[in-house]
Amino acid sequence: MGIYEELQARGLIAQVTDEAEIRDLINNGGARFYIGFDPTADSLHVGHFMALCLMKRLQMAGNKPVVLIGGGTGYIGDPSGRSDMRSMMTPEIIQHNCDCFKKQMERFIEFGEDKAIMVNNADWLLSLNYVDLLRDVGACFSVNNMLRAECYKQRMEKGLSFLEFNYMIMQAYDFWHLHNNYGCNMQFGGDDQWSNMLAGTELIRKKEGEDAYAMTITLLLNSEGKKMGKTQKGAVWLDPEKTTPFEFYQYWRNVDDADVMKCMKMLTFLSLEQIEEMEHWPDSRINEKKEILTYELTSLVHGKDEADKAQQTARNLFSGNVDDANMPSTTLTADQVGENGINIMELLVACGLASSKSEARRLITQGGISLDGEKVTNIDASVSAEQLKGGVVVKKGKKIFHKVTLG
């Protein structure tokens, strides 16, 4: 089985433009491909995880990744999948976010001579002359076709700014630039990027003719990863300062039973033979499958030592041993607690176990909250400063533990 066939078997390929050429290039290590990452935060998150794993798989098969950091497109903001306009970022924030991305990516991808390279589209987009761009690139785009693209259609009712309307042109220009200057012959992305990627493919063919056809192929990555990055607390980050290794471990440990094998195929580097064997395990072994998935992914992102610690912490908690130093924790201030203590609903919000007091109320009334092993039934209950000095353990549901102390 070649790497292309493996990607298919793992459920990673949704659409392609030129399947025969793509299969040949990838299987023979001839792809020089790029994936773009806009620096909208100072950390990558779980939604980027699938793309990083894909780049690693292809590099291991001899193909050459080009990591494109969107320092230039970050000035505009991608309207895909958005119902409103993204917040404008300063140049300093964009550069800081780009630097953070590179450090995290080095855990997955090997950079260096004849290996992966990282480029920033700010290096060519920010110096473009507007009139020249209109003449060289704008003439290749049909406004009618652009407005039919899904990424724009969903914004038309609420309003699409001319700024964002240019995003497709900028992304298409990226592929043309990478093709001409770095030999890129393939691009990957989620299905929300399909229209933008097709625009890049067509731009190269219009500018360079049909003789460039075989070298401007586009591959589409299934967008399951886009659905993985959110929890009630917000994004699940790859930065351990924003999402601890144990919280990352717990996120995957709590994945829906129906998604476990899908995630195993798409995200782990276990062989397809191992995964196929697990698919035949009885339903009674679902927790064993989840522990394998969780450990593999935590090891990939945070290393084996952190995965070992997170796994041991989880086992201790599930067995009733809640006195564990690796447990997620929050330290409250004296102002938050006050002389009369802190209301249990406010405490849940303060430590991120509920997004609002209304959600905290629902958790309590449904019997989903325990404090130091005792179920909380009264929404007016308070936790005193004296209790918090020694630390209290809040349990949410069956699997989530959090220690709260007074600083």
Side-chain angles (χ1 to χ4, degrees), residues 26 40 71 178 181 193 237 259 343 386:
I26 289 176
T40 53
L178 294 173
N181 294 276
Q193 295 294 309
W237 305 101
D259 293 331
N343 173 267
E386 196 63 32

Side-chain angles (χ1 to χ4, degrees), residues 87-140:
S87 300
M88 291 283 206
M89 296 185 294
T90 65
E92 293 76 19
I93 291 175
I94 291 172
Q95 185 58 53
H96 171 72
N97 292 350
C98 290
D99 294 340
C100 293
F101 276 22
K102 187 173 189 300
K103 290 178 183 177
Q104 293 176 354
M105 288 177 178
E106 287 172 344
R107 290 194 64 91
F108 294 84
I109 304 159
E110 192 175 357
F111 292 95
E113 188 175 349
D114 200 35
K115 293 176 182 170
I117 62 170
M118 178 175 284
V119 294
N120 188 330
N121 62 16
D123 293 341
W124 56 86
L125 292 182
L126 298 187
S127 60
L128 285 175
N129 178 284
Y130 186 61
V131 174
D132 288 343
L133 178 69
L134 289 177
R135 290 174 61 88
D136 290 344
V137 179
C140 299

Side-chain angles (χ1 to χ4, degrees), residues 157-192:
E157 289 186 12
K158 288 196 173 183
L160 175 71
S161 70
F162 182 69
L163 175 73
E164 294 172 291
F165 187 64
N166 281 271
Y167 190 90
M168 180 184 288
I169 297 175
M170 296 294 95
Q171 185 167 331
Y173 189 93
D174 282 343
F175 193 20
W176 185 30
H177 181 91
L178 294 173
H179 175 71
N180 290 336
N181 294 276
Y182 296 93
C184 264
N185 53 23
M186 195 178 300
Q187 55 182 329
F188 288 71
D191 58 8
D192 60 335

Side-chain angles (χ1 to χ4, degrees), residues 17-18 22 25 30-36 64 66-70 73 119-121 124-125 128 133 137 141 167-189 193-208 212-220:
T17 56
D18 307 272
I22 289 172
L25 275 173
R32 190 165 187 83
F33 67 96
Y34 96 88
I35 297 180
K64 302 295 191 301
V66 175
V67 177
L68 175 64
I69 299 295
T73 41
V119 294
N120 188 330
N121 62 16
W124 56 86
L125 292 182
L128 285 175
L133 178 69
V137 179
F141 284 79
Y167 190 90
M168 180 184 288
I169 297 175
M170 296 294 95
Q171 185 167 331
Y173 189 93
D174 282 343
F175 193 20
W176 185 30
H177 181 91
L178 294 173
H179 175 71
N180 290 336
N181 294 276
Y182 296 93
C184 264
N185 53 23
M186 195 178 300
Q187 55 182 329
F188 288 71
Q193 295 294 309
W194 185 238
S195 298
N196 294 338
M197 291 192 294
L198 287 179
T201 297
E202 291 306 311
L203 176 61
I204 293 174
R205 293 175 181 176
K206 286 177 181 178
K207 297 295 290 184
E208 303 194 14
Y213 182 85
M215 299 302 290
T216 57
I217 50 188
T218 305
L219 205 72
L220 177 65

Side-chain angles (χ1 to χ4, degrees), residues 157-364:
E157 289 186 12
K158 288 196 173 183
L160 175 71
S161 70
F162 182 69
L163 175 73
E164 294 172 291
F165 187 64
N166 281 271
Y167 190 90
M168 180 184 288
I169 297 175
M170 296 294 95
Q171 185 167 331
Y173 189 93
D174 282 343
F175 193 20
W176 185 30
H177 181 91
L178 294 173
H179 175 71
N180 290 336
N181 294 276
Y182 296 93
C184 264
N185 53 23
M186 195 178 300
Q187 55 182 329
F188 288 71
D191 58 8
D192 60 335
Q193 295 294 309
W194 185 238
S195 298
N196 294 338
M197 291 192 294
L198 287 179
T201 297
E202 291 306 311
L203 176 61
I204 293 174
R205 293 175 181 176
K206 286 177 181 178
K207 297 295 290 184
E208 303 194 14
E210 289 303 307
D211 58 336
Y213 182 85
M215 299 302 290
T216 57
I217 50 188
T218 305
L219 205 72
L220 177 65
L221 174 66
N222 186 295
S223 68
E224 287 295 327
K226 299 285 184 179
K227 305 170 187 176
M228 296 176 180
K230 299 290 184 182
T231 67
Q232 291 180 348
K233 287 182 66 176
V236 177
W237 305 101
L238 305 191
D239 182 348
E241 297 298 319
K242 296 169 78 72
T243 298
T244 68
F246 180 77
E247 289 171 327
F248 185 86
Y249 183 98
Q250 284 292 87
Y251 171 77
W252 294 107
R253 185 64 180 77
N254 293 325
V255 73
D256 289 344
D257 292 359
D259 293 331
V260 171
M261 295 314 299
K262 182 192 298 183
C263 293
M264 198 85 75
K265 287 180 180 178
M266 289 182 168
L267 301 175
T268 77
F269 285 79
L270 297 175
S271 70
L272 287 171
E273 290 76 17
Q274 289 174 281
I275 294 172
E276 184 178 357
E277 180 184 342
M278 280 188 271
E279 287 182 318
H280 292 94
W281 289 1
D283 292 345
S284 60
R285 298 182 69 180
I286 185 63
N287 286 330
E288 190 177 347
K289 292 178 185 178
K290 285 188 174 184
E291 191 167 84
I292 292 171
L293 171 70
T294 300
Y295 183 84
E296 290 293 323
L297 299 186
T298 307
S299 294
L300 270 173
V301 174
H302 296 295
K304 186 176 182 302
D305 288 346
E306 290 296 339
D308 287 339
K309 282 193 265 185
Q311 184 180 68
Q312 190 58 54
T313 298
R315 287 175 176 174
N316 289 346
L317 294 173
F318 296 152
S319 66
N321 177 14
V322 296
D323 185 18
D324 196 296
N326 293 313
M327 187 191 308
S329 63
T330 297
T331 301
L332 301 179
T333 65
D335 288 342
Q336 287 176 293
V337 176
E339 292 183 3
N340 298 318
I342 181 171
N343 173 267
I344 184 63
M345 292 189 292
E346 294 176 353
L347 183 145
L348 293 176
V349 173
C351 62
L353 292 175
S355 58
S356 64
K357 289 181 71 172
S358 60
E359 184 191 351
R361 179 190 299 267
R362 178 181 58 79
L363 287 169
I364 294 167

Side-chain angles (χ1 to χ4, degrees), residues 329-332 347 351 388 391-394 402-406:
S329 63
T330 297
T331 301
L332 301 179
L347 183 145
C351 62
L388 290 168
V392 297
V393 174
V394 183
H402 200 98
K403 191 170 186 177
V404 188
T405 57
L406 176 63

